[in-house]
Amino acid sequence: MQNLLARLIAPLAATLALGGLASPVLAQSRIKDIASVEGVRTNQLVGYGLVVGLNGTGDSLRNCPFTRQSLEGMTERLGVNIRGATANSKNMAAIMVTADLPAFATPGSRIDVSVSSMCDAKSLLGGTLLVTGLQGADGQVYAVAQGSIQTGSVSASGASGSSVTRGVPTAGRIASGATVERETGFELSNMNEVRLNLRNPDFTTAQRMAGVINASFPGSALAESGTVVALRSPGQLGMAGFISRIENLPITVDTPAKVIIDEVNGVIVMGDAVRISRVAIAQGNLTISVDEQPAVSQPAPFGRGQTAVVPSTQVRIEEDLGTEMRIIDGGGNLSTLVHGLNTLGVSPRDMISILQAIKAAGALQADIQVM
């Protein structure tokens, strides 16, 4: 029995030992997460329409002539002529409708739309959007929108003029509020070659992507630049089937050394490739305070002169003494660099100045980008 346990435990111990000695695996991403197919994108749609059913919070027809013209045109198409009549309804509003048409959207599918007031409407809460055509950049109608508006806001006012508003009541959304009427005409199945565009251009990443794809489908990928990888579908897979095969392939993304600095909010972001050479840093705070106390100058008795206010200014300079220079070792990984900078014990805003000074000294091997 003991011999049997020994034979079972020995392979397990060897496996654990090898696992502990193995080097850590670099984080990998899928191709679909770092690149997109050229031409496969959303398209912006826009339209002009009317919202009705508002509880007295709509446009004033006297101040919004285009709302009146829209009302007259709509009622005339429905067989009612109100031109020249006095209308003072505040239960409608002129709005702009926007939507994003997804790639490969087919007629009959539903998409979300956003609506925004154009004139002096107070709120769109409870309103209903009438049939509105949504046009693309080419002037063609690709979708038709209609439905009840949800603003997600609260607005209340009293007779004295006081009001409380939470959110933006003059803008809202209609979930699945538009029906697609026309396709964009992008025929992926008839294409023999497509191009993948990296969201973060990099020559090393593009070459790695082409190598990973060619390892599974030899001769089907070519890195044309740091942004574009051209694909040619092999065999009888079809372009859609070929893309579905390669988009889940893992790849190690290479990123340039970059430090992002947001001076307004005091935020610092450093990439894993950032390195720093051995450098010595001394940092101290210098405080200059100016205190002004006005004094009154009074003339001598029975003397000439006038009472005057004379400013009295005191200037003080305070500087932290005893701040020693600290050495930050170069090389290593990102955690070593962060630990070395943290030993300085300074605030993020002082850290920004230190990083810029290190860059000026040529000891920071990274690009600094200030937002």
Side-chain angles (χ1 to χ4, degrees):
M1 185 64 178
Q2 293 180 351
N3 294 334
L4 177 61
L5 290 175
R7 288 196 300 269
L8 292 176
I9 293 175
L12 178 61
T15 303
L16 293 175
L18 290 176
L21 294 176
S23 59
V25 180
L26 295 177
Q28 293 185 323
S29 303
R30 298 177 301 176
I31 290 179
K32 67 189 305 180
D33 298 326
I34 64 173
S36 60
V37 180
E38 186 177 83
V40 178
R41 61 178 182 86
T42 58
N43 293 271
Q44 287 71 39
L45 305 179
V46 65
Y48 168 82
L50 282 177
V51 172
V52 297
L54 302 176
N55 187 19
T57 59
D59 293 340
S60 173
L61 299 184
R62 180 177 302 176
N63 298 331
C64 306
F66 47 84
T67 305
R68 172 184 286 275
Q69 295 174 8
S70 301
L71 174 62
E72 293 174 350
M74 180 189 66
T75 55
E76 188 172 332
R77 289 192 300 271
L78 297 176
V80 180
N81 186 5
I82 63 170
R83 293 186 182 274
T86 301
N88 194 27
S89 173
K90 298 196 69 175
N91 293 343
M92 64 179 57
I95 50 91
M96 294 299 296
V97 186
T98 59
D100 289 332
L101 182 66
F104 308 117
T106 57
S109 58
R110 310 283 294 187
I111 59 175
D112 298 341
V113 298
S114 300
V115 298
S116 303
S117 174
M118 293 182 59
C119 197
D120 59 357
K122 301 299 187 296
S123 175
L124 300 179
L125 182 64
T128 300
L129 173 67
L130 300 181
V131 176
T132 303
L134 302 181
Q135 301 178 356
D138 56 357
Q140 300 294 326
V141 175
Y142 286 88
V144 176
Q146 180 172 278
S148 300
I149 300 174
Q150 302 295 327
T151 62
S153 62
V154 177
S155 178
S157 59
S160 62
S162 59
S163 63
V164 175
T165 302
R166 177 171 296 178
V168 182
T170 54
R173 290 181 63 84
I174 306 177
S176 301
T179 303
V180 177
E181 300 291 341
R182 184 196 299 265
E183 296 185 21
T184 57
F186 188 81
E187 298 180 357
L188 183 64
S189 59
N190 296 332
M191 301 177 65
N192 296 323
E193 182 176 332
V194 298
R195 306 204 306 172
L196 295 179
N197 295 334
L198 270 69
R199 296 186 176 94
N200 296 312
D202 185 80
F203 285 99
T204 303
T205 304
Q207 291 292 340
R208 288 177 181 175
M209 181 186 298
V212 168
I213 296 174
N214 288 329
S216 300
F217 302 94
S220 59
L222 174 64
E224 296 183 351
S225 64
T227 303
V228 178
V229 177
L231 300 178
R232 182 175 295 274
S233 176
Q236 303 298 323
L237 283 177
M239 188 56 68
F242 177 51
I243 294 177
S244 68
R245 297 283 186 89
I246 68 170
E247 65 179 3
N248 289 313
L249 294 177
I251 179 175
T252 302
V253 179
D254 192 81
T255 56
K258 184 178 294 187
V259 178
I260 308 298
I261 293 177
D262 184 356
E263 294 192 66
V264 176
N265 299 312
V267 177
I268 305 172
V269 178
M270 292 186 288
D272 184 66
V274 176
R275 296 293 182 268
I276 190 172
S277 301
R278 186 177 176 88
V279 64
I281 301 174
Q283 190 274 342
N285 292 324
L286 180 66
T287 303
I288 301 176
S289 59
V290 179
D291 186 15
E292 291 191 5
Q293 296 292 339
V296 178
S297 177
Q298 195 80 342
F302 306 103
R304 297 181 180 180
Q306 296 180 351
T307 302
V309 177
V310 180
S312 176
T313 303
Q314 294 182 357
V315 180
R316 295 190 303 272
I317 299 178
E318 298 179 359
E319 184 176 6
D320 292 344
L321 302 178
T323 303
E324 300 179 354
M325 295 193 70
R326 295 180 180 270
I327 298 177
I328 298 180
D329 293 329
N333 52 22
L334 180 61
S335 61
T336 304
L337 171 59
V338 172
H339 176 72
L341 293 175
N342 286 337
T343 57
L344 298 175
V346 297
S347 65
R349 297 189 182 277
D350 291 335
M351 189 77 71
I352 292 175
S353 300
I354 292 174
L355 287 173
Q356 292 175 335
I358 295 175
K359 176 66 176 179
L364 183 65
Q365 283 74 49
D367 182 29
I368 293 183
Q369 180 176 341
V370 180
M371 298 180 61

